[in-house]
Amino acid sequence: MKVTVDEVKCIAAGHCVMHAGAVFDQRDEDGIVVLLDENPPEELAEDVRQAAAVCPAMAIHLEE
């Protein structure tokens, strides 16, 4: 799985961090998503899929 994020689309809701905190974080100054691991291990794949599914801005993109 390859993960990319669109920081321009991100609205800093934080749902990604709640679902996959090992893969996503937020900048302190504005809450915009920070991608920590663009190729997360398989054991985190379902959490990452859930994070992408609940992103209100659809700013997370996955390549399986």
Side-chain angles (χ1 to χ4, degrees):
M1 167 184 290
K2 180 171 178 166
V3 182
T4 57
V5 296
D6 186 340
E7 292 180 7
V8 175
K9 281 184 161 182
C10 180
I11 61 168
H15 297 306
C16 56
V17 177
M18 289 187 285
H19 287 280
V23 179
F24 304 102
D25 200 356
Q26 291 177 280
R27 295 191 304 222
D28 289 336
E29 62 272 12
D30 58 7
I32 297 299
V33 66
V34 174
L35 183 60
L36 301 175
D37 188 350
E38 70 178 22
N39 296 299
E42 184 59 35
E43 61 266 16
L44 297 177
E46 191 54 40
D47 292 340
V48 174
R49 286 185 196 102
Q50 185 65 27
V54 300
C55 177
M58 297 180 1
I60 300 169
H61 306 284
L62 306 178
E63 290 180 40
E64 296 285 345

